[in-house]
Amino acid sequence: MFENLIFSIAVSTHLGLSGDFANIHPHLQYQTDNQYIAGIYHNSDKRASVYFGKRTSWKAPYDIIPEVSIEYGLVHGYKEWDVAPMLKINYGALFVAPAATKDDLGIVAGYEVKF
């Protein structure tokens, strides 16, 4: 059970968005063997977000190329939306995710360290 529990910390930047956003995101995720995911993290609005969804991964046959994965689902905890769609693309420890406020559309990009 505990081998499916992942603790991580991400550092991010918010591109195309104006405002005061959190840039450090502690994150706790549970992943099932068939890659369903659920977790909680400190979001850009400086609040706790709870989510559930699915992770799809691709591993190259060579170890020098990092794993690519897409996480998608629903998330709760942002100021402007009660429930919102979630999408995060990972390339090894790097990630990008779409982001939006009432006035702006942008991208969150960052680096996530898993423990």
Side-chain angles (χ1 to χ4, degrees):
M1 177 178 155
F2 288 113
E3 62 271 4
N4 295 354
L5 199 58
I6 301 163
F7 175 69
S8 65
I9 295 179
V11 177
S12 71
T13 188
H14 298 76
L15 306 170
L17 302 172
S18 57
D20 180 32
F21 298 104
N23 294 316
I24 304 221
H25 312 280
H27 179 200
L28 185 62
Q29 182 181 79
Y30 182 79
Q31 181 175 334
T32 67
D33 292 336
N34 54 0
Q35 297 199 12
Y36 286 98
I37 56 175
I40 186 168
Y41 64 96
H42 182 71
N43 71 29
S44 298
D45 284 341
K46 302 175 182 173
R47 300 167 56 156
S49 275
V50 176
Y51 68 91
F52 69 93
K54 181 130 172 130
R55 168 188 268 241
T56 302
S57 302
W58 298 272
K59 180 91 169 113
Y62 310 104
D63 288 336
I64 60 171
I65 300 172
E67 179 181 89
V68 175
S69 66
I70 298 175
E71 298 176 6
Y72 50 96
L74 296 173
V75 62
H76 167 73
Y78 286 91
K79 291 177 188 173
E80 296 184 16
W81 295 279
D82 190 33
V83 176
M86 174 189 78
L87 176 66
K88 182 178 171 222
I89 301 168
N90 304 293
Y91 179 75
L94 300 173
F95 68 89
V96 295
T101 66
K102 189 168 38 174
D103 302 319
D104 298 318
L105 290 175
I107 294 175
V108 177
Y111 187 83
E112 185 173 21
V113 177
K114 296 180 180 180
F115 299 95

